[in-house]
């Protein structure tokens, strides 16, 4: 073989080698970032965490960076346990009183309830007056009740109570009253429908679901990488793949914050090879009491995750959120809280959680 042929062969080998090395380097550079198995316990250790689910009927949004420090639980020791008193409230419900000539057992009342606890898209409930405590309460076996009240929500995130739904409410309530030998009295339909529209209009103006989008600057992230970093801030896996939640300090209340990313990536056969370039960090404002400092925690979590994961915090349109913009969102949010308080629908209250559901 001539020297020319040897030279060409050497050049060819070097070229092939360079291509192989370049392809390997490119593959490594663009591969999703992986969780570090040596820094944190395996993710499976936290899979027993369960995302809180409200008993109230589940369901507008507006998009709205110092390192994150978890808020001390001592700041929230004054928060009460989930409200287990009467659910019905004239503020957000149409109420119908059902009188009875003699006490009715809770077992009989439960048996008389309709098969579905909904009127159209609204929650339908019946409560009994327990004379021993002098309070209205959810029906329970083993009790005896001297009166009953049925109720249907005036509005929720689906919309206001309409004429058809009011009529269905009357039919269901009357059927219950007949079954227990009671007499029901109803308010005027037109007045209640008008009240529903006004409440729905207020709720629409004062509803907010804040969402930050965290975008990768360079290399994409794997689901495990997101899980690992979010878990350090207290997030746990949610019910749905591709969702993590920051639980409230009081068990049973809605999550304070949520993280959502591509469900298909989370369910992929090999999630480590599923690149994710962005995920959402969200807060459902009316569902969370301001005492939990949800916006402060949302902002700090977003900044911390962006710094740790080489990302950037943007709005839903991909615009980077400045400090001034974030400050203004915080001020606007305080005004929203004040408006809800003035209407006796404070964020995080049982009434607000039902209305904004």
């Amino acid at each position: 073989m001539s020297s020319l042929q040897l030279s060409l062969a050497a050049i060819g080998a070097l070229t092939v080698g360079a291509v192989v090395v370049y392809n390997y380097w490119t593959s490594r550079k663009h591969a999703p970032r992986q969780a570090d198995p040596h820094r944190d316990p395996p993710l499976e250790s936290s899979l027993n965490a369960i995302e809180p689910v409200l008993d109230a009927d589940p369901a507008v949004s507006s998009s709205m960076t110092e390192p994150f420090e978890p808020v001390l639980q001592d700041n929230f020791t004054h928060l009460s346990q989930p409200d287990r008193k009467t659910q019905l409230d004239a503020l957000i419900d149409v109420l119908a009183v059902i009188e009875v000539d003699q006490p009715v057992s809770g077992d009989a009342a439960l048996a008389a309830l309709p098969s579905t606890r909904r009127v159209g898209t609204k929650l339908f409930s019946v409560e009994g007056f327990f004379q021993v405590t002098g309070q209205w309460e959810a029906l329970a076996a083993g009790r005896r009740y001297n009166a009953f009240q049925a109720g249907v929500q005036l509005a929720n995130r689906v919309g206001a109570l309409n004429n058809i739904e009011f009529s269905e409410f009357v039919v269901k309530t009357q059927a219950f009253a007949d079954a227990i030998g009671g007499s029901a009295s109803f308010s005027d339909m037109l007045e209640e429908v008008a009240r529903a529209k006004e409440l729905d209009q207020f709720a629409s103006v004062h509803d907010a679901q804040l969402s930050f989008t965290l975008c990768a600057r360079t290399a994409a992230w794997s689901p495990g990488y997101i899980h690992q970093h979010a878990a350090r801030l207290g997030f746990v896996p949610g019910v749905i793949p591709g969702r993590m939640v920051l639980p409230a300090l009081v068990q049973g209340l809605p999550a304070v914050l949520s993280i959502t990313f591509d469900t298909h990536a989370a369910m992929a056969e090999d999630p480590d090879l599923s690149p994710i370039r962005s995920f959402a960090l969200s807060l459902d404002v009316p569902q969370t009491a301001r005492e939990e400092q949800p916006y402060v925690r949302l902002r700090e979590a977003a900044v911390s995750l962006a710094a740790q994961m080489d990302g950037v915090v943007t709005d839903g349109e991909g615009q980077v959120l400045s400090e001034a913009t974030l400050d203004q969102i915080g001020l606007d949010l305080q005004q929203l809280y004040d408006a809800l308080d003035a209407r006796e629908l404070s964020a995080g209250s049982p009434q607000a959680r039902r209305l904004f559901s």
Side-chain angles (χ1 to χ4, degrees):
M1 182 179 293
S2 67
S3 58
L4 176 59
Q5 291 175 316
L6 290 174
S7 298
L8 291 174
I11 293 173
L14 289 173
T15 301
V16 172
V19 170
V20 171
V21 171
Y22 175 78
N23 288 339
Y24 175 77
W25 175 80
T26 301
S27 176
R28 289 294 300 273
K29 179 181 179 181
H30 295 287
R33 296 175 186 264
Q34 305 299 318
D36 185 347
H38 303 293
R39 293 193 60 179
D40 299 295
L43 178 63
E44 287 73 16
S45 64
S46 64
L47 288 179
N48 59 344
I50 300 177
E51 179 179 351
V53 177
L54 288 177
D55 290 336
D57 183 34
V60 174
S61 94
S62 57
S63 288
M64 303 295 187
T65 99
E66 340 179 287
F68 172 79
E69 295 181 3
V71 180
L72 297 178
Q73 292 197 13
D74 289 346
N75 292 340
F76 307 115
T77 53
H78 62 284
L79 290 177
S80 63
Q81 293 295 318
D83 195 323
R84 299 185 183 280
K85 297 180 181 179
T86 176
Q87 182 181 31
L88 292 174
D89 190 317
L91 185 65
I92 62 171
D93 293 300
V94 176
L95 299 179
V97 176
I98 304 169
E99 298 178 348
V100 292
D101 294 331
Q102 56 186 7
V104 177
S105 69
D107 302 79
L110 287 169
L113 287 174
S115 57
T116 61
R117 308 298 167 82
R118 301 183 67 81
V119 169
T121 62
K122 311 301 185 295
L123 185 65
F124 171 82
S125 304
V126 175
E127 295 177 338
F129 185 78
F130 189 41
Q131 195 168 30
V132 175
T133 61
Q135 293 182 340
W136 295 98
E137 65 177 31
L139 300 181
R143 303 271 206 182
R144 295 187 70 78
Y145 299 107
N146 296 77
F148 299 86
Q149 63 178 2
V152 61
Q153 275 187 226
L154 286 164
N156 56 21
R157 278 178 170 156
V158 178
L161 185 78
N162 57 41
N163 293 1
I164 295 176
E165 290 173 327
F166 185 92
S167 298
E168 184 180 347
F169 164 66
V170 171
V171 170
K172 284 194 172 185
T173 302
Q174 188 62 58
F176 173 81
D178 292 342
I180 62 171
S183 175
S185 57
F186 301 94
S187 51
D188 182 77
M189 179 181 72
L190 295 181
E191 291 181 1
E192 294 293 10
V193 169
R195 194 161 69 98
K197 290 179 179 178
E198 189 278 330
L199 181 60
D200 180 59
Q201 182 178 13
F202 171 86
S204 298
V205 173
H206 296 86
D207 197 358
Q209 295 173 329
L210 305 184
S211 182
F212 294 149
T213 299
L214 272 67
C215 301
R217 291 180 183 273
T218 54
W221 305 309
S222 68
Y225 189 77
I226 296 175
H227 271 272
Q228 186 173 63
H229 283 281
R232 293 172 188 160
L233 302 186
F235 286 82
V236 299
V239 176
I240 303 172
R243 176 177 167 89
M244 298 186 73
V245 297
L246 183 65
L249 295 175
V250 178
Q251 185 177 5
L253 292 184
V256 178
L257 304 175
S258 65
I259 287 176
T260 53
F261 56 89
D262 188 1
T263 302
H264 296 293
M267 298 178 64
E269 186 174 342
D270 189 350
D272 289 342
L273 299 180
S274 301
I276 299 171
R277 297 208 61 83
S278 66
F279 63 86
L281 180 60
S282 306
L283 160 65
D284 192 333
V285 177
Q287 292 285 332
T288 312
R290 78 159 94 192
E291 290 82 2
E292 292 248 26
Q293 301 182 28
Y295 180 68
V296 172
R297 299 164 78 178
L298 170 70
R299 182 172 178 172
E300 292 179 339
V303 174
S304 178
L305 289 170
Q308 296 174 19
M309 302 171 65
D310 188 25
V312 61
V313 182
T314 73
D315 62 14
E317 304 299 322
Q319 299 296 317
V320 176
L321 295 174
S322 66
E323 291 287 339
T325 299
L326 294 173
D327 290 341
Q328 186 59 52
I329 293 173
L331 294 175
D332 293 342
L333 191 55
Q334 292 308 313
Q335 294 180 1
L336 175 59
Y337 282 130
D338 292 340
L340 291 173
D341 290 344
R343 186 67 185 249
E344 298 182 17
L345 289 168
S346 298
S349 66
Q351 295 87 348
R353 295 201 303 270
R354 284 208 289 132
L355 177 61
F356 297 95
S357 66

